[in-house]
């Protein structure tokens, strides 16, 4: 079971880091979602939150594969946000990713509630941090359509940074959960 | 209960932001390339150019690549797709040189009487499609050249307030007999354009008085409708045509005008000569005016 946690950890790392060489992502998101899905497949029997995360991971895997063929500019990460079409292409991925992190964090929180470890408290705080950043991003994204794109880009960048920091703390949370797992 | 309230509030905030922004964005999009209404007189002679203005959304999927006017195989079209940038649109222009070889003095008389009228052009888009679009009215006069012109144009000027002038010197004694243009009605009926001519004898010519300021110079002389014709002009006289556009409404201010004011001279024993003065007006809307124009266009569709 511990391997499942580490798959999730590696999967999140693949999704978080975009290491591109000549426009090719060396750590493709698709592989990341596959690792997360396979990890959560083992954990989903523990509680419903992991099941939600598992389902989200599979849907994100499908979305990543589909966008590679239908919207290659999205898959390459070069999409311009100042059009309604592009915003709506990205919206499902943002929502599913939110559901994935929610599922992982709430799953850990539920599983470790009542144990001596403080993982439930840590999971709760990190989820709040992530959700706050993600909520801000979701509210601000559509303003890209109407406000000066230069100003908005800097605001979006700051919010993205907040979300990234929150996701890094979730990575450490998953590592701790894997470390504390008792077979 | 309180937790559910947070979730509902968050979802509401996100939904409001998306619905509001998408609605506002769509309300300010044209949806397709729109040509302004043109009232243009031009010559098909090589080197003579006129501009066709159009508006496109900045995020348009399909943009105008070039245009074609049927019947002018040698035409040269130079696109300026981002001639002026606005918050959500670009004002673009296509500079057109019909590029026909100039005809000499032997040009048929009837050809000079009535110009070719073009109302539709072929628009070619970035996705490979094309369509016929109405651009207003473009009168195309046959281009001619005279080697021994009795009038020599000496200076030309224009200002951002839609005013301008052309000055000339008379090289041989002659008579000014007529001013004509296809669009003189906008000067006479609507008052959107004032054209002045400064002719010695009609008013105190500029060569007989101290030079006025630049602003006064722009509008010196008399309105051309009030000038008594024919007017006799002597060798060495100065001659000036100046104009000022004052568009009475936003609808008018978003239209394109280019008058080719034709001044006819008669020279004793030499026949008649015609000199053309270009009087241009092109829109330069503010961001607010552009937004209002886009919304009006959307209502009209």
């Amino acid at each position: 079971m511990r391997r499942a946690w580490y798959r999730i950890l590696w999967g999140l790392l693949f999704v978080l880091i975009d290491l591109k060489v000549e426009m090719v992502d060396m750590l493709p998101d698709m592989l990341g979602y596959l690792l997360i899905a396979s990890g959560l497949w083992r954990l989903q029997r523990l509680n419903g939150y992991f099941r939600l995360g598992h389902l989200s991971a599979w849907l994100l895997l499908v979305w990543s594969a589909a966008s590679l063929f239908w919207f290659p500019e999205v898959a390459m990460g070069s999409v311009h946000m100042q059009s309604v079409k592009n915003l709506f292409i990205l919206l499902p991925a943002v929502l599913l990713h939110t559901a994935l992190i929610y599922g992982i964090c709430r799953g850990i929180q539920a599983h470790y509630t009542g144990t001596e470890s403080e993982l439930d408290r840590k999971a709760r705080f990190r989820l709040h941090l992530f959700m706050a950043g993600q909520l801000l991003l979701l509210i601000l994204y559509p303003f890209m359509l109407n406000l000066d794109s230069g100003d908005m880009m800097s605001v979006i960048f700051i919010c993205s940074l907040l979300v990234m920091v929150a996701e890094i703390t979730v990575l450490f949370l998953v590592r701790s959960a894997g470390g504390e797992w008792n077979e | 209960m309180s937790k559910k309230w947070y979730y509902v509030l968050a979802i509401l905030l996100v939904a409001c932001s998306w619905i509001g922004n998408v609605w506002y964005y769509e309300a300010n999009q044209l949806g397709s390339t729109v040509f302004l209404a043109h009232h243009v007189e031009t010559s098909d002679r090589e080197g003579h150019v006129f501009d066709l203005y159009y508006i496109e959304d900045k995020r348009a999927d399909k943009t105008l690549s070039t245009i074609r006017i049927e019947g002018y195989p040698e035409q040269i079209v130079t696109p300026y797709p981002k001639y002026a940038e606005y918050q959500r649109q670009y004002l673009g222009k296509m500079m057109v040189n019909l590029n026909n070889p100039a005809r000499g003095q032997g040009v048929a008389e009837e050809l000079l009487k009535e110009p070719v009228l073009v109302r539709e052009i072929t628009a070619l888009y970035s996705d490979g499609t094309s369509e016929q679009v109405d651009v207003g009215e473009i009168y195309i006069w046959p281009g001619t050249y005279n080697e021994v012109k009795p009038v020599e144009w000496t200076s030309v000027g224009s200002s951002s307030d839609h005013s301008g002038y052309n000055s000339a010197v008379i090289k041989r004694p002659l008579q000014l007999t007529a001013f004509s243009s296809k669009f003189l009605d906008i000067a006479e009926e609507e008052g959107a354009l004032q054209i002045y001519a400064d002719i010695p004898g009609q008013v105190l010519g500029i060569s007989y008085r101290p030079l006025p300021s630049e602003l006064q110079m722009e509008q010196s002389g008399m309105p051309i409708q009030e000038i008594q014709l024919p007017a006799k002009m002597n060798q060495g006289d100065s001659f000036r045509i100046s104009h000022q556009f004052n568009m009475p409404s936003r609808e008018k201010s978003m239209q394109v005008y280019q008058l080719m004011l034709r001044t006819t001279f008669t020279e004793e024993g030499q026949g008649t000569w015609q000199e053309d003065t270009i009087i241009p007006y092109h829109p330069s809307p503010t961001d607010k005016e552009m937004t209002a124009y886009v919304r009006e266009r959307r209502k009209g569709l």
Side-chain angles (χ1 to χ4, degrees), chain A residues 25-44:
Chain A
D25 195 352
M26 302 308 284
L27 303 174
D29 288 359
M30 256 195 303
L31 187 58
Y33 290 127
L34 187 66
L35 282 169
I36 297 169
S38 73
L40 285 170
W41 181 74
R42 300 284 304 275
L43 298 176
Q44 63 175 329

Side-chain angles (χ1 to χ4, degrees), chain A residues 6 9 23 28 30 48 59 62 68 74-75 90 101 123 133 139 148 157:
Chain A
Y6 290 115
L9 178 68
M23 295 299 283
M30 256 195 303
L59 289 174
V62 173
L68 201 63
V74 178
L90 286 174
I101 300 295
I139 292 171
D148 180 71
F157 177 74

Side-chain angles (χ1 to χ4, degrees), chain A residues 82 84 87-88 91 102 135 138-139 142-143 145-146, chain B residues 7 10 13-14 17-18 21 24-26 59 87-88:
Chain A
Q82 294 96 333
V84 175
L87 272 181
F88 276 104
L91 183 60
Y102 177 83
L135 181 67
L138 273 168
I139 292 171
F143 281 95
L145 295 171
N146 295 307
Chain B
Y7 287 124
L13 275 172
V14 173
S17 170
W18 279 74
N21 276 295
Y24 189 74
Y25 176 81
E26 289 296 334
R59 307 290 163 206
Q87 195 180 350
R88 297 175 191 85

Side-chain angles (χ1 to χ4, degrees), chain B residues 3-301:
Chain B
K3 273 187 181 175
K4 277 185 186 169
W5 171 244
Y6 283 137
Y7 287 124
V8 170
L9 186 68
I11 291 167
L12 261 177
L13 275 172
V14 173
C16 285
S17 170
W18 279 74
I19 293 167
N21 276 295
V22 170
W23 174 82
Y24 189 74
Y25 176 81
E26 289 296 334
N28 289 289
Q29 296 292 300
L30 275 173
S32 61
T33 303
V34 170
F35 277 87
L36 300 182
H38 292 77
H39 310 277
V40 170
E41 275 180 293
T42 187
S43 159
D44 65 5
R45 185 179 167 177
E46 54 196 331
H48 282 218
V49 295
F50 65 96
D51 298 324
L52 289 177
Y53 287 83
Y54 63 96
I55 302 173
E56 269 177 351
D57 293 327
K58 276 186 174 177
R59 307 290 163 206
D61 291 330
K62 182 173 103 171
T63 56
L64 186 70
S65 300
T66 188
I67 57 117
R68 195 185 311 128
I69 298 177
E70 302 307 323
Y72 297 90
E74 300 298 320
Q75 66 188 280
I76 300 167
V77 178
T78 313
Y80 294 90
K82 295 175 184 175
Y83 179 67
E85 185 178 358
Y86 294 86
Q87 195 180 350
R88 297 175 191 85
Q89 278 83 27
Y90 288 117
L91 175 67
K93 73 172 184 180
M94 292 281 167
M95 195 166 79
V96 184
N97 176 359
L98 294 172
N99 206 28
N100 261 4
R103 301 150 181 91
Q105 287 172 29
V107 64
E109 192 75 13
E110 65 272 14
L111 208 60
L112 295 172
K113 280 182 185 162
E114 200 53 41
V116 174
L117 172 59
V118 173
R119 288 192 181 277
E120 286 193 333
I121 59 156
T122 307
L124 295 102
Y125 296 99
S126 54
D127 64 352
T129 58
S130 65
E131 64 173 338
Q132 293 291 112
V133 287
D134 189 336
V135 291
E137 42 190 350
I138 304 167
Y139 288 98
I140 303 170
W141 293 92
T144 57
Y145 69 88
N146 300 315
E147 285 174 354
V148 282
K149 287 165 41 166
V151 175
E152 185 182 332
W153 295 100
T154 52
S155 67
V156 59
S158 64
S159 165
S160 57
D161 67 350
H162 305 296
S163 65
Y165 70 91
N166 291 62
S167 297
V169 171
I170 306 299
K171 287 159 72 180
R172 299 193 295 272
L174 41 71
Q175 279 195 323
L176 195 164
T177 55
F179 290 106
S180 62
S181 165
K182 284 283 175 189
F183 302 118
L184 274 183
D185 57 338
I186 69 156
E188 287 164 2
E189 291 169 17
E190 299 170 29
L193 168 66
Q194 283 84 46
I195 306 174
Y196 299 87
D198 199 339
I199 303 168
Q202 296 277 330
V203 291
L204 200 58
I206 52 171
S207 51
Y208 302 101
R209 62 184 176 192
L211 279 176
S213 72
E214 189 69 22
L215 188 68
Q216 287 169 314
M217 279 173 72
E218 298 265 331
Q219 297 177 358
S220 62
M222 284 172 72
I224 56 168
Q225 300 90 335
E226 295 172 18
I227 288 177
Q228 289 183 345
L229 299 174
K232 197 173 176 222
M233 301 174 90
N234 298 314
Q235 185 177 1
D237 279 353
S238 295
F239 169 59
R240 172 189 286 267
I241 293 172
S242 51
H243 70 269
Q244 171 75 59
F245 282 95
N246 285 306
M247 291 304 178
S249 62
R250 187 168 64 234
E251 188 196 346
K252 283 274 170 209
S253 71
M254 287 299 284
Q255 298 188 7
V256 182
Y257 288 88
Q258 179 175 296
L259 283 75
M260 209 163 80
L261 184 70
R262 185 152 280 184
T263 313
T264 307
F265 298 97
T266 308
E267 193 176 4
E268 207 169 308
Q270 296 285 328
T272 60
W273 303 95
Q274 288 178 324
E275 287 295 325
D276 296 330
T277 307
I278 299 294
I279 298 179
Y281 170 88
H282 68 81
S284 47
T286 60
D287 235 323
K288 203 175 163 187
E289 286 167 335
M290 179 61 90
T291 302
Y293 176 80
V294 170
R295 287 185 182 169
E296 275 169 24
R297 284 287 308 196
R298 284 181 64 91
K299 275 184 201 164
L301 290 175

